[in-house]
Amino acid sequence: MLKALIVEDEYLAREELAYLIQEHSSIEIAASVEDGLEAFKFLQEHDVDVVFLDINIPSIDGLLLAKNLHKTARPPRIVFVTAYKEFAVDAFELEAFDYILKPYNETRIIGLLRKLEALEQAPPPITAVSAPAADAAPANRTVNLAKGDSIIVTPCDDIYYVEADEKVTLVYTAHDRYVMAMSISEFVSRLPADSFFRCHRSFCVNIHKIREIAPWQNSTYIIKLYDLKAEIPVSRSNIKAFRQLMHL
C-alpha cells in the first residue's frame, strides 16, 4: 500500500485533499503537516511514497523542500498542490510527478490517484540473468513533460524525436508537441541512451521509430519516422556513428 504525506498550511485545503485521497484510493495518509520544516523532520524518520506538497508554506517553501527531497537516497514522488500557475516550469525541473491547481477538481484528483496506484501495481521489469555492473546507472524509462499547467509523466518510448528551437526544446510524440524550457542537451540527458541517438546538433531521434533512412545531400541521410511526416537530418559529424548504430 502506498503511503502519503500531505504538506499544506491551509486547514480546509488539507482536509479536503485528505478526504479525496481516502475516498477515491487505498493510499494511506501517513501524516498531514502545516509547514516545510515539520515535513522535512518527518521525512527524516519515515518513508513515504508520495508527498502532496503546497508551494507557499511556512519555514521551508515547497520548491526548496522538493529540491532537498530530490537528493535523498529514496526520493518520494512529489505532487505539487498550489493556487499558483507560474511555478509549473520550476516543478517540472524538479521532476515532479504532477502539478495540481486549487481549487481542487475532483475528477482531476481521481485521475492522479489512479496513476499513482497503477505505478504500484505494475509488474517489475524483466531483467537479464547476468547482473549489471555495480556502478551501472539504470536507464530512465519515463520523463516529465510540461503541458499547460500540468506535468505529464510520459514513457520515453512514446517520444519520436526532440528538436532544439532557440532557447527551448520541442518534444514530439505521435499526437502532441511539448515545449520544454531547457536546452536539448539537458533534455536528452534524461532519455535512455539505448533508444535515442543525437543525429544532429538540433535533433535527437528515437531509433525504434525510424521507418526509412534516405540518402541526402553531401553523402548524409534523412530519417523518416512512423506516424509523423517529419524528416530529420543526420549531420556529417554523426554519419559514422549512425551507420554503426543502424548497421548500414
Side-chain angles (χ1 to χ4, degrees):
M1 179 185 296
L2 294 174
K3 292 186 178 181
L5 171 67
I6 297 175
V7 188
E8 169 62 74
D9 65 329
E10 298 178 14
Y11 174 79
L12 292 179
R14 188 168 66 247
E15 290 298 301
E16 181 184 7
L17 182 57
Y19 168 78
L20 291 171
I21 294 170
Q22 293 169 335
E23 182 72 13
H24 298 293
S25 76
S26 61
I27 297 173
E28 175 188 341
I29 300 175
S32 295
V33 299
E34 299 182 13
D35 67 76
L37 183 58
E38 188 179 357
F40 187 70
K41 290 179 178 178
F42 178 87
L43 291 168
Q44 286 182 313
E45 300 177 358
H46 304 84
D47 283 335
V48 299
D49 303 287
V50 56
V51 177
F52 293 88
L53 180 59
D54 191 8
I55 290 178
N56 187 19
I57 52 176
S59 301
I60 304 174
D61 72 73
L63 290 173
L64 181 57
L65 177 59
K67 287 178 183 177
N68 282 278
L69 296 181
H70 189 61
K71 299 174 183 177
T72 60
R74 186 179 176 271
R77 293 184 175 90
I78 303 294
V79 175
F80 283 103
V81 286
T82 177
Y84 302 97
K85 296 180 180 180
E86 58 266 30
F87 295 112
V89 172
D90 296 316
F92 164 77
E93 291 177 349
L94 294 170
E95 299 185 4
F97 185 80
D98 211 334
Y99 193 89
I100 303 292
L101 288 174
K102 303 176 190 174
Y104 300 129
N105 179 298
E106 186 169 359
T107 301
R108 177 85 167 83
I109 295 289
I110 292 171
L112 163 66
L113 296 172
R114 288 177 179 170
K115 280 200 303 182
L116 286 166
E117 292 186 313
L119 287 176
E120 183 192 31
Q121 295 166 5
I126 298 173
T127 56
V129 175
S130 57
D135 58 351
N140 297 323
R141 291 299 169 186
T142 62
V143 66
N144 295 339
L145 299 178
K147 186 70 173 179
D149 299 323
S150 299
I151 296 172
I152 312 299
V153 181
T154 305
C156 292
D157 289 342
D158 288 355
I159 296 173
Y160 280 63
Y161 74 99
V162 178
E163 178 183 3
D165 184 12
E166 295 184 353
K167 295 183 179 181
V168 300
T169 297
L170 308 178
V171 182
Y172 294 86
T173 63
H175 305 292
D176 217 335
R177 186 187 78 163
Y178 300 85
V179 180
M180 310 305 302
M182 64 179 66
S183 70
I184 187 171
S185 296
E186 182 180 353
F187 184 81
V188 168
S189 70
R190 304 181 181 190
L191 300 174
D194 60 346
S195 296
F196 288 83
F197 179 71
R198 186 78 175 269
C199 58
H200 188 281
R201 65 187 302 271
S202 297
F203 292 91
C204 181
V205 64
N206 185 338
I207 61 175
H208 303 298
K209 304 298 185 183
I210 295 176
R211 173 178 59 84
E212 181 181 346
I213 301 168
W216 195 45
Q217 60 189 17
N218 298 323
S219 302
T220 58
Y221 299 99
I222 281 288
I223 297 171
K224 299 180 181 181
L225 306 176
Y226 292 104
D227 305 318
L228 299 181
K229 294 182 179 180
E231 295 187 346
I232 301 168
V234 179
S235 66
R236 289 184 61 82
S237 60
N238 290 325
I239 289 176
K240 184 177 180 180
F242 183 68
R243 284 174 175 167
Q244 291 175 341
L245 179 68
M246 304 304 296
H247 306 289
L248 298 176

